[in-house]
Amino acid sequence: MTGYGWQRTRGTTGPRRWISSCRTRTTVFAACTAVGASLLTGCGVLPGVAGGSREPITVMTWAPDGTSATNAPGMPALAKAFARWVNANGGLGGHELTVLTCNDHNTPVGASDCARRAVKEKAVAVVGSYSQYGSAFMPPLEVAGIPYLGGYGISDQEFTNALSYPVNGGQAALIAGSGRQLAQDCDQVSLVRPDTIAGDVLPTVLDAGLLDAHRAPATDIRTAEDAGDYTAEARRALAQAGADPALVGRIGRKAAEQKAHRGCVTAVLGDRTETFFDSFRRVESEGQKVRVASVIGSIGQPLLDRTGGKEGPFEGAYVTGWYPEADDPRWDPMKKVIREQAFGDNAIDAADAGVQTTWIAYTALKKVVESLGRDSVRAVDLVRALNTGVTVDTGGLTPELRWRFEDMLGAADFPRIVNRRVTFQVVREGRLVSLKKGFTDVSSTLEASAANG
């Protein structure tokens, strides 16, 4: 049961509610009465909105911040900037948008607390958020009937729960794409990933991508997601990828160098990916270089910039993403909002995958609310619109998004994926650029991984 019965119906705004609202703000009341009856009907109306006012809409965005693992402060910050921008331009279909933010602290308790606060504050949706603890945050939302729109895609529940409406294919699509990207060049692959529930799905999905090209399964190397040193894991990853220093004595230096050249090491550790590759570079032999790889969110343009750009350790790395590279002009509308509404906010980086996902999620929210044309918007109204086929055009950042049953992936492990496309990128001259034009559909790889899992 979704709990829709617990939602109190909120009727169309009437004169009694308008008068009460004005009286709670004496300065506004005084201003309205002073200018005469001709302007009274405009009290509380957002700029650019013709006619009477509509009820405000409250949503929440959460993400971890200040933790020893992955942090995503740019996501709530972008949500706030979006609200300032949309309210300055007439709101969401005439509704003033209020964005609540919450820090889930990268813990199950924190995720649950954020979800319960969303319920308490009567949020009609949770939008563009990051948490790996779907089993903690989805139950409170489900009981209240609150949709989870455009989460980052790090938890299984985002792709199985009926109240989740993802805008990307999550970690699963990235890893499936990474397997296919690496299969082009790699005889042996080592996967370094967190020893967590979210990390447990990664080896099976990566292997499905490798098997598409008849490559051997990757070596699965589990580790703590918040470690300060990964020397042991780096040595094992190199050896399993074909860069074992002992090979030099057995097959000769040249043969060992050639074998290592056909090996690949991919690490998916969020913010700790940088820490892993610091350890990796200290133990990698100059004569046994392997290709390195990761996925967006673990490697991104902000990391490349602060680690030396083209002189840094990631030059030539393969990176699988959900969206076009950060320099693509399709991101210009988002960058304009950041310039206008969040100038100087260092938490927001337009090249960050979390910020980009939040932009797409709020783009979807705007489209859904506008499609309703209602004076009052409840969570159940959003859910109904999403389920019955509202279509969201993201300006080419994703395919058109729609969340009907027939739009979803036919795979038991990821049934709610509606966007199965990824991008193949590579680090050249310190910038993430396209390795392959356009998107790659990984539907068949995801279906194969579900069948094999």
Side-chain angles (χ1 to χ4, degrees):
M1 182 173 177
T2 59
Y4 296 148
W6 296 102
Q7 295 286 333
R8 178 174 294 178
T9 302
R10 298 165 66 188
T12 303
T13 302
R16 181 182 301 273
R17 180 170 297 175
W18 172 81
I19 292 170
S20 175
S21 174
C22 283
R23 282 175 180 165
T24 62
R25 298 182 180 127
T26 57
T27 56
V28 174
F29 179 77
C32 287
T33 55
V35 297
S38 64
L39 293 182
L40 280 174
T41 56
C43 182
V45 179
L46 287 169
V49 178
S53 63
R54 289 179 164 178
E55 288 192 1
I57 291 175
T58 298
V59 301
M60 176 176 279
T61 297
W62 62 55
D65 189 18
T67 77
S68 59
T70 297
N71 298 291
M75 298 177 72
L78 190 278
K80 288 286 193 180
F82 184 95
R84 290 191 292 271
W85 169 72
V86 80
N87 288 337
N89 291 277
L92 296 180
H95 300 269
E96 182 178 7
L97 176 63
T98 297
V99 172
L100 308 174
T101 61
C102 189
N103 185 352
D104 92 325
H105 298 288
N106 203 36
T107 67
V109 172
S112 179
D113 287 346
C114 286
R116 288 199 300 270
R117 183 182 161 211
V119 175
K120 181 179 179 181
E121 301 274 3
K122 296 182 173 56
V124 298
V126 174
V127 186
S129 297
Y130 184 112
S131 176
Q132 64 176 305
Y133 298 105
S135 59
F137 69 72
M138 279 307 308
L141 299 183
E142 190 171 19
V143 169
I146 298 174
Y148 188 73
L149 176 59
Y152 186 85
I154 195 71
S155 70
D156 292 346
Q157 287 75 13
E158 293 175 63
F159 302 101
T160 57
N161 192 285
L163 282 177
S164 178
Y165 301 87
V167 298
N168 59 45
Q171 286 281 83
L174 291 179
I175 297 299
S178 182
R180 289 173 59 168
Q181 189 174 8
L182 292 175
Q184 302 170 27
D185 298 299
C186 308
D187 291 343
Q188 296 173 267
V189 177
S190 294
L191 168 65
V192 183
R193 53 89 171 182
D195 189 8
T196 62
I197 293 173
D200 287 343
V201 70
L202 304 186
T204 301
V205 182
L206 182 72
D207 288 347
L210 293 170
L211 289 170
D212 276 352
H214 309 289
R215 297 290 191 181
T219 299
D220 180 22
I221 300 175
R222 295 176 291 180
T223 187
E225 65 175 342
D226 58 353
D229 180 81
Y230 292 98
T231 299
E233 292 85 353
R235 287 199 174 104
R236 185 182 171 206
L238 281 163
Q240 294 298 321
D244 187 345
L247 287 174
V248 176
R250 295 202 298 266
I251 64 175
R253 185 173 301 279
K254 185 174 182 179
E257 181 178 345
Q258 292 174 342
K259 184 175 179 61
H261 185 69
R262 296 192 299 271
C264 296
V265 172
T266 181
V268 183
L269 293 167
D271 284 356
R272 289 293 169 162
T273 302
E274 179 181 2
T275 305
F276 169 78
F277 279 112
D278 282 344
S279 299
F280 179 88
R281 293 304 181 192
R282 287 196 296 269
V283 299
E284 185 183 31
S285 170
E286 187 63 33
Q288 290 179 288
K289 294 286 188 181
V290 302
R291 180 179 292 278
V292 300
S294 189
V295 298
I296 207 73
S298 288
I299 288 182
Q301 194 59 52
L303 173 60
L304 301 179
D305 292 341
R306 70 172 179 265
T307 55
K310 65 181 181 180
E311 306 299 330
F314 299 107
E315 187 68 18
Y318 281 166
V319 180
T320 309
W322 292 305
Y323 317 122
E325 64 270 23
D327 294 334
D328 192 286
R330 284 171 284 188
W331 292 113
D332 288 349
M334 178 189 72
K335 293 176 181 178
K336 182 175 185 291
V337 169
I338 294 172
R339 287 195 305 270
E340 292 178 355
Q341 301 295 336
F343 181 79
D345 189 340
N346 293 330
I348 303 179
D349 191 321
D352 178 76
V355 169
Q356 294 171 347
T357 299
T358 302
W359 171 259
I360 293 170
Y362 273 90
T363 299
L365 176 70
K366 185 173 186 290
K367 174 65 175 179
V368 175
V369 171
E370 290 173 346
S371 75
L372 294 172
R374 297 171 61 95
D375 289 342
S376 172
V377 175
R378 302 166 298 162
V380 66
D381 300 320
L382 296 179
V383 170
R384 186 179 294 115
L386 289 162
N387 288 345
T388 55
V390 63
T391 300
V392 174
D393 182 350
T394 64
L397 295 172
T398 68
E400 283 193 339
L401 300 173
R402 192 169 52 188
W403 295 269
R404 300 174 305 170
F405 176 79
E406 54 265 41
D407 299 312
M408 296 183 183
L409 181 69
D413 290 347
F414 323 105
R416 298 205 49 93
I417 292 181
V418 297
N419 176 7
R420 281 88 74 171
R421 299 183 188 180
V422 298
T423 56
F424 290 168
Q425 301 175 32
V426 64
V427 181
R428 288 182 181 149
E429 297 293 309
R431 302 294 299 176
L432 271 173
V433 298
S434 294
L435 181 65
K436 176 183 177 183
K437 186 176 180 180
F439 293 95
T440 296
D441 192 318
V442 294
S443 298
S444 61
T445 305
L446 291 169
E447 289 166 352
S449 72
N452 296 333

Tab-separated table of all heavy atoms in Angstrom, residues 363-409:
chain	number	residue	atom	x	y	z
A	363	THR	N	14.476	19.614	-14.122
A	363	THR	CA	13.868	19.825	-15.439
A	363	THR	C	12.633	18.942	-15.588
A	363	THR	O	11.588	19.375	-16.084
A	363	THR	CB	14.878	19.518	-16.554
A	363	THR	OG1	16.005	20.394	-16.439
A	363	THR	CG2	14.252	19.678	-17.929
A	364	ALA	N	12.764	17.688	-15.133
A	364	ALA	CA	11.634	16.762	-15.185
A	364	ALA	C	10.505	17.225	-14.271
A	364	ALA	O	9.323	17.188	-14.647
A	364	ALA	CB	12.096	15.356	-14.795
A	365	LEU	N	10.845	17.655	-13.052
A	365	LEU	CA	9.817	18.145	-12.129
A	365	LEU	C	9.052	19.313	-12.745
A	365	LEU	O	7.811	19.368	-12.668
A	365	LEU	CB	10.466	18.585	-10.819
A	365	LEU	CG	9.511	19.211	-9.794
A	365	LEU	CD1	8.564	18.168	-9.226
A	365	LEU	CD2	10.300	19.906	-8.684
A	366	LYS	N	9.762	20.241	-13.341
A	366	LYS	CA	9.121	21.411	-13.959
A	366	LYS	C	8.133	20.978	-15.035
A	366	LYS	O	6.997	21.466	-15.099
A	366	LYS	CB	10.196	22.332	-14.552
A	366	LYS	CG	9.684	23.653	-15.114
A	366	LYS	CD	10.867	24.531	-15.518
A	366	LYS	CE	10.409	25.928	-15.945
A	366	LYS	NZ	9.683	25.906	-17.219
A	367	LYS	N	8.544	20.049	-15.874
A	367	LYS	CA	7.675	19.567	-16.943
A	367	LYS	C	6.434	18.883	-16.377
A	367	LYS	O	5.314	19.106	-16.857
A	367	LYS	CB	8.460	18.600	-17.839
A	367	LYS	CG	7.618	17.915	-18.899
A	367	LYS	CD	7.060	18.892	-19.920
A	367	LYS	CE	6.315	18.161	-21.028
A	367	LYS	NZ	5.748	19.094	-22.022
A	368	VAL	N	6.610	18.064	-15.361
A	368	VAL	CA	5.474	17.322	-14.800
A	368	VAL	C	4.477	18.271	-14.158
A	368	VAL	O	3.266	18.161	-14.367
A	368	VAL	CB	5.964	16.271	-13.787
A	368	VAL	CG1	4.784	15.571	-13.117
A	368	VAL	CG2	6.850	15.232	-14.476
A	369	VAL	N	4.970	19.224	-13.370
A	369	VAL	CA	4.067	20.169	-12.701
A	369	VAL	C	3.315	21.005	-13.736
A	369	VAL	O	2.097	21.219	-13.617
A	369	VAL	CB	4.848	21.069	-11.727
A	369	VAL	CG1	3.957	22.194	-11.201
A	369	VAL	CG2	5.389	20.249	-10.561
A	370	GLU	N	4.028	21.471	-14.747
A	370	GLU	CA	3.373	22.271	-15.780
A	370	GLU	C	2.315	21.480	-16.529
A	370	GLU	O	1.297	22.034	-16.968
A	370	GLU	CB	4.414	22.827	-16.750
A	370	GLU	CG	5.295	23.901	-16.128
A	370	GLU	CD	6.431	24.336	-17.037
A	370	GLU	OE1	6.716	23.637	-18.032
A	370	GLU	OE2	7.054	25.378	-16.723
A	371	SER	N	2.528	20.182	-16.688
A	371	SER	CA	1.556	19.350	-17.400
A	371	SER	C	0.248	19.194	-16.629
A	371	SER	O	-0.797	18.913	-17.217
A	371	SER	CB	2.149	17.969	-17.689
A	371	SER	OG	2.185	17.157	-16.513
A	372	LEU	N	0.310	19.389	-15.308
A	372	LEU	CA	-0.882	19.202	-14.484
A	372	LEU	C	-1.860	20.359	-14.617
A	372	LEU	O	-3.077	20.160	-14.639
A	372	LEU	CB	-0.486	19.033	-13.016
A	372	LEU	CG	0.305	17.772	-12.664
A	372	LEU	CD1	0.792	17.835	-11.224
A	372	LEU	CD2	-0.534	16.529	-12.896
A	373	GLY	N	-1.353	21.596	-14.656
A	373	GLY	CA	-2.219	22.758	-14.762
A	373	GLY	C	-3.172	22.911	-13.592
A	373	GLY	O	-4.306	23.361	-13.751
A	374	ARG	N	-2.719	22.561	-12.389
A	374	ARG	CA	-3.577	22.582	-11.199
A	374	ARG	C	-3.165	23.707	-10.253
A	374	ARG	O	-2.000	24.087	-10.194
A	374	ARG	CB	-3.495	21.247	-10.457
A	374	ARG	CG	-4.002	20.047	-11.249
A	374	ARG	CD	-3.669	18.754	-10.524
A	374	ARG	NE	-4.301	18.712	-9.218
A	374	ARG	CZ	-5.475	18.124	-8.970
A	374	ARG	NH1	-6.117	17.522	-9.943
A	374	ARG	NH2	-5.966	18.107	-7.748
A	375	ASP	N	-4.142	24.209	-9.481
A	375	ASP	CA	-3.834	25.214	-8.466
A	375	ASP	C	-3.164	24.586	-7.254
A	375	ASP	O	-2.436	25.254	-6.524
A	375	ASP	CB	-5.110	25.934	-8.027
A	375	ASP	CG	-5.646	26.865	-9.102
A	375	ASP	OD1	-4.872	27.214	-10.013
A	375	ASP	OD2	-6.832	27.226	-9.036
A	376	SER	N	-3.416	23.304	-7.029
A	376	SER	CA	-2.831	22.583	-5.902
A	376	SER	C	-2.203	21.307	-6.428
A	376	SER	O	-2.828	20.579	-7.211
A	376	SER	CB	-3.915	22.252	-4.864
A	376	SER	OG	-3.409	21.414	-3.863
A	377	VAL	N	-0.972	21.037	-6.040
A	377	VAL	CA	-0.262	19.840	-6.505
A	377	VAL	C	0.130	19.000	-5.308
A	377	VAL	O	0.821	19.467	-4.401
A	377	VAL	CB	0.988	20.215	-7.324
A	377	VAL	CG1	1.784	18.963	-7.682
A	377	VAL	CG2	0.600	20.979	-8.590
A	378	ARG	N	-0.336	17.751	-5.299
A	378	ARG	CA	-0.006	16.801	-4.241
A	378	ARG	C	0.941	15.738	-4.781
A	378	ARG	O	1.115	15.597	-5.991
A	378	ARG	CB	-1.281	16.139	-3.708
A	378	ARG	CG	-2.327	17.104	-3.160
A	378	ARG	CD	-3.665	16.384	-2.993
A	378	ARG	NE	-4.156	15.905	-4.278
A	378	ARG	CZ	-5.087	14.957	-4.415
A	378	ARG	NH1	-5.603	14.375	-3.344
A	378	ARG	NH2	-5.494	14.582	-5.619
A	379	ALA	N	1.517	14.964	-3.880
A	379	ALA	CA	2.403	13.881	-4.300
A	379	ALA	C	1.674	12.910	-5.227
A	379	ALA	O	2.221	12.450	-6.238
A	379	ALA	CB	2.952	13.149	-3.073
A	380	VAL	N	0.424	12.590	-4.892
A	380	VAL	CA	-0.325	11.629	-5.701
A	380	VAL	C	-0.557	12.150	-7.114
A	380	VAL	O	-0.614	11.375	-8.069
A	380	VAL	CB	-1.668	11.267	-5.016
A	380	VAL	CG1	-2.602	12.455	-4.954
A	380	VAL	CG2	-2.327	10.077	-5.696
A	381	ASP	N	-0.659	13.473	-7.275
A	381	ASP	CA	-0.828	14.050	-8.614
A	381	ASP	C	0.429	13.844	-9.455
A	381	ASP	O	0.348	13.519	-10.648
A	381	ASP	CB	-1.141	15.541	-8.513
A	381	ASP	CG	-2.416	15.825	-7.736
A	381	ASP	OD1	-3.394	15.077	-7.909
A	381	ASP	OD2	-2.427	16.791	-6.946
A	382	LEU	N	1.587	14.034	-8.830
A	382	LEU	CA	2.843	13.808	-9.548
A	382	LEU	C	2.986	12.339	-9.932
A	382	LEU	O	3.385	12.014	-11.059
A	382	LEU	CB	4.025	14.241	-8.685
A	382	LEU	CG	4.118	15.727	-8.321
A	382	LEU	CD1	5.336	15.974	-7.442
A	382	LEU	CD2	4.180	16.595	-9.563
A	383	VAL	N	2.680	11.457	-8.998
A	383	VAL	CA	2.793	10.020	-9.264
A	383	VAL	C	1.881	9.622	-10.422
A	383	VAL	O	2.287	8.874	-11.328
A	383	VAL	CB	2.463	9.215	-7.995
A	383	VAL	CG1	2.326	7.727	-8.318
A	383	VAL	CG2	3.537	9.427	-6.939
A	384	ARG	N	0.652	10.114	-10.403
A	384	ARG	CA	-0.291	9.765	-11.467
A	384	ARG	C	0.220	10.252	-12.820
A	384	ARG	O	0.163	9.520	-13.825
A	384	ARG	CB	-1.658	10.353	-11.158
A	384	ARG	CG	-2.748	9.916	-12.150
A	384	ARG	CD	-4.096	10.516	-11.790
A	384	ARG	NE	-4.588	9.984	-10.521
A	384	ARG	CZ	-4.759	10.704	-9.425
A	384	ARG	NH1	-4.460	11.998	-9.427
A	384	ARG	NH2	-5.225	10.153	-8.325
A	385	ALA	N	0.735	11.481	-12.863
A	385	ALA	CA	1.236	12.020	-14.132
A	385	ALA	C	2.437	11.221	-14.633
A	385	ALA	O	2.547	10.927	-15.835
A	385	ALA	CB	1.607	13.490	-13.965
A	386	LEU	N	3.334	10.872	-13.731
A	386	LEU	CA	4.513	10.106	-14.112
A	386	LEU	C	4.134	8.714	-14.613
A	386	LEU	O	4.707	8.220	-15.587
A	386	LEU	CB	5.466	10.000	-12.916
A	386	LEU	CG	6.183	11.296	-12.530
A	386	LEU	CD1	6.724	11.203	-11.111
A	386	LEU	CD2	7.303	11.606	-13.512
A	387	ASN	N	3.171	8.099	-13.964
A	387	ASN	CA	2.772	6.740	-14.337
A	387	ASN	C	1.986	6.681	-15.634
A	387	ASN	O	1.966	5.633	-16.299
A	387	ASN	CB	1.948	6.105	-13.220
A	387	ASN	CG	2.779	5.737	-12.004
A	387	ASN	OD1	4.013	5.690	-12.075
A	387	ASN	ND2	2.128	5.496	-10.882
A	388	THR	N	1.324	7.776	-15.977
A	388	THR	CA	0.444	7.738	-17.153
A	388	THR	C	1.071	8.317	-18.405
A	388	THR	O	0.394	8.467	-19.420
A	388	THR	CB	-0.886	8.462	-16.850
A	388	THR	OG1	-0.616	9.799	-16.399
A	388	THR	CG2	-1.677	7.711	-15.795
A	389	GLY	N	2.348	8.669	-18.350
A	389	GLY	CA	3.051	8.920	-19.595
A	389	GLY	C	3.483	10.332	-19.900
A	389	GLY	O	3.745	10.651	-21.068
A	390	VAL	N	3.596	11.223	-18.879
A	390	VAL	CA	4.151	12.538	-19.168
A	390	VAL	C	5.566	12.354	-19.720
A	390	VAL	O	6.341	11.537	-19.231
A	390	VAL	CB	4.160	13.427	-17.901
A	390	VAL	CG1	5.047	12.846	-16.820
A	390	VAL	CG2	4.596	14.845	-18.247
A	391	THR	N	5.880	13.082	-20.780
A	391	THR	CA	7.175	12.946	-21.452
A	391	THR	C	8.039	14.165	-21.153
A	391	THR	O	7.555	15.299	-21.217
A	391	THR	CB	6.977	12.807	-22.980
A	391	THR	OG1	6.182	11.647	-23.242
A	391	THR	CG2	8.321	12.651	-23.681
A	392	VAL	N	9.289	13.923	-20.843
A	392	VAL	CA	10.212	14.994	-20.485
A	392	VAL	C	11.309	15.090	-21.536
A	392	VAL	O	12.045	14.126	-21.777
A	392	VAL	CB	10.831	14.756	-19.093
A	392	VAL	CG1	11.906	15.798	-18.795
A	392	VAL	CG2	9.753	14.766	-18.013
A	393	ASP	N	11.414	16.240	-22.160
A	393	ASP	CA	12.495	16.546	-23.098
A	393	ASP	C	13.592	17.277	-22.335
A	393	ASP	O	13.362	18.348	-21.787
A	393	ASP	CB	11.948	17.414	-24.230
A	393	ASP	CG	12.990	17.741	-25.290
A	393	ASP	OD1	14.188	17.466	-25.069
A	393	ASP	OD2	12.622	18.291	-26.340
A	394	THR	N	14.786	16.704	-22.281
A	394	THR	CA	15.891	17.301	-21.532
A	394	THR	C	16.864	18.054	-22.431
A	394	THR	O	17.993	18.321	-22.043
A	394	THR	CB	16.652	16.219	-20.750
A	394	THR	OG1	17.254	15.289	-21.672
A	394	THR	CG2	15.719	15.479	-19.808
A	395	GLY	N	16.434	18.383	-23.627
A	395	GLY	CA	17.306	19.137	-24.526
A	395	GLY	C	18.461	18.327	-25.068
A	395	GLY	O	19.506	18.887	-25.405
A	396	GLY	N	18.281	17.016	-25.157
A	396	GLY	CA	19.319	16.159	-25.714
A	396	GLY	C	20.327	15.649	-24.705
A	396	GLY	O	21.239	14.892	-25.060
A	397	LEU	N	20.183	16.026	-23.427
A	397	LEU	CA	21.103	15.522	-22.401
A	397	LEU	C	20.840	14.048	-22.101
A	397	LEU	O	21.724	13.324	-21.651
A	397	LEU	CB	20.961	16.350	-21.127
A	397	LEU	CG	21.373	17.820	-21.274
A	397	LEU	CD1	20.999	18.600	-20.018
A	397	LEU	CD2	22.866	17.946	-21.559
A	398	THR	N	19.615	13.634	-22.338
A	398	THR	CA	19.214	12.235	-22.254
A	398	THR	C	18.238	11.997	-23.400
A	398	THR	O	17.769	12.948	-24.035
A	398	THR	CB	18.478	11.922	-20.926
A	398	THR	OG1	17.209	12.602	-20.933
A	398	THR	CG2	19.282	12.363	-19.725
A	399	PRO	N	17.886	10.733	-23.668
A	399	PRO	CA	16.729	10.542	-24.543
A	399	PRO	C	15.483	11.083	-23.849
A	399	PRO	O	15.518	11.388	-22.648
A	399	PRO	CB	16.661	9.016	-24.687
A	399	PRO	CG	17.371	8.480	-23.498
A	399	PRO	CD	18.448	9.466	-23.180
A	400	GLU	N	14.388	11.250	-24.566
A	400	GLU	CA	13.151	11.664	-23.922
A	400	GLU	C	12.807	10.677	-22.808
A	400	GLU	O	12.926	9.458	-22.989
A	400	GLU	CB	12.003	11.733	-24.927
A	400	GLU	CG	12.040	12.956	-25.815
A	400	GLU	CD	10.734	13.162	-26.568
A	400	GLU	OE1	9.968	12.182	-26.719
A	400	GLU	OE2	10.481	14.289	-26.997
A	401	LEU	N	12.412	11.210	-21.669
A	401	LEU	CA	12.158	10.380	-20.498
A	401	LEU	C	10.659	10.173	-20.302
A	401	LEU	O	9.874	11.129	-20.386
A	401	LEU	CB	12.754	11.028	-19.248
A	401	LEU	CG	14.271	11.252	-19.267
A	401	LEU	CD1	14.708	12.062	-18.050
A	401	LEU	CD2	15.014	9.921	-19.327
A	402	ARG	N	10.287	8.929	-20.034
A	402	ARG	CA	8.895	8.596	-19.765
A	402	ARG	C	8.888	7.332	-18.914
A	402	ARG	O	9.709	6.438	-19.111
A	402	ARG	CB	8.143	8.391	-21.077
A	402	ARG	CG	6.642	8.317	-20.945
A	402	ARG	CD	5.984	8.393	-22.310
A	402	ARG	NE	6.541	7.412	-23.230
A	402	ARG	CZ	6.259	7.353	-24.522
A	402	ARG	NH1	5.443	8.248	-25.054
A	402	ARG	NH2	6.783	6.430	-25.288
A	403	TRP	N	7.964	7.239	-17.971
A	403	TRP	CA	8.043	6.187	-16.959
A	403	TRP	C	6.818	5.269	-16.951
A	403	TRP	O	6.433	4.766	-15.914
A	403	TRP	CB	8.225	6.814	-15.570
A	403	TRP	CG	9.519	7.536	-15.412
A	403	TRP	CD1	10.695	7.017	-14.952
A	403	TRP	CD2	9.787	8.902	-15.699
A	403	TRP	NE1	11.670	7.970	-14.948
A	403	TRP	CE2	11.142	9.150	-15.398
A	403	TRP	CE3	9.001	9.963	-16.188
A	403	TRP	CZ2	11.739	10.401	-15.560
A	403	TRP	CZ3	9.586	11.203	-16.367
A	403	TRP	CH2	10.935	11.414	-16.056
A	404	ARG	N	6.219	5.037	-18.112
A	404	ARG	CA	5.157	4.044	-18.189
A	404	ARG	C	5.756	2.646	-18.066
A	404	ARG	O	6.955	2.442	-18.271
A	404	ARG	CB	4.407	4.157	-19.511
A	404	ARG	CG	3.734	5.497	-19.766
A	404	ARG	CD	3.159	5.522	-21.163
A	404	ARG	NE	4.186	5.219	-22.156
A	404	ARG	CZ	3.936	4.989	-23.442
A	404	ARG	NH1	2.695	5.036	-23.893
A	404	ARG	NH2	4.933	4.719	-24.271
A	405	PHE	N	4.919	1.671	-17.786
A	405	PHE	CA	5.395	0.299	-17.653
A	405	PHE	C	6.121	-0.157	-18.907
A	405	PHE	O	7.190	-0.790	-18.841
A	405	PHE	CB	4.206	-0.633	-17.357
A	405	PHE	CG	4.586	-2.083	-17.292
A	405	PHE	CD1	5.194	-2.609	-16.160
A	405	PHE	CD2	4.359	-2.917	-18.383
A	405	PHE	CE1	5.554	-3.949	-16.108
A	405	PHE	CE2	4.723	-4.257	-18.332
A	405	PHE	CZ	5.314	-4.776	-17.191
A	406	GLU	N	5.565	0.185	-20.073
A	406	GLU	CA	6.159	-0.286	-21.322
A	406	GLU	C	7.465	0.429	-21.670
A	406	GLU	O	8.174	0.006	-22.586
A	406	GLU	CB	5.163	-0.144	-22.474
A	406	GLU	CG	4.586	1.243	-22.643
A	406	GLU	CD	3.252	1.421	-21.939
A	406	GLU	OE1	3.110	0.928	-20.795
A	406	GLU	OE2	2.362	2.056	-22.534
A	407	ASP	N	7.808	1.490	-20.946
A	407	ASP	CA	9.064	2.198	-21.190
A	407	ASP	C	10.227	1.619	-20.397
A	407	ASP	O	11.374	2.012	-20.598
A	407	ASP	CB	8.921	3.680	-20.824
A	407	ASP	CG	7.852	4.380	-21.647
A	407	ASP	OD1	7.870	4.219	-22.879
A	407	ASP	OD2	7.001	5.062	-21.050
A	408	MET	N	9.936	0.695	-19.496
A	408	MET	CA	10.953	0.233	-18.548
A	408	MET	C	11.695	-0.994	-19.047
A	408	MET	O	11.259	-1.681	-19.967
A	408	MET	CB	10.300	-0.016	-17.193
A	408	MET	CG	9.741	1.259	-16.602
A	408	MET	SD	9.024	1.069	-14.979
A	408	MET	CE	8.428	2.757	-14.721
A	409	LEU	N	12.833	-1.237	-18.428
A	409	LEU	CA	13.724	-2.315	-18.849
A	409	LEU	C	13.167	-3.670	-18.438
A	409	LEU	O	12.702	-3.850	-17.322
A	409	LEU	CB	15.103	-2.115	-18.207
A	409	LEU	CG	16.193	-3.131	-18.551
A	409	LEU	CD1	16.602	-2.979	-20.006
A	409	LEU	CD2	17.408	-2.931	-17.641
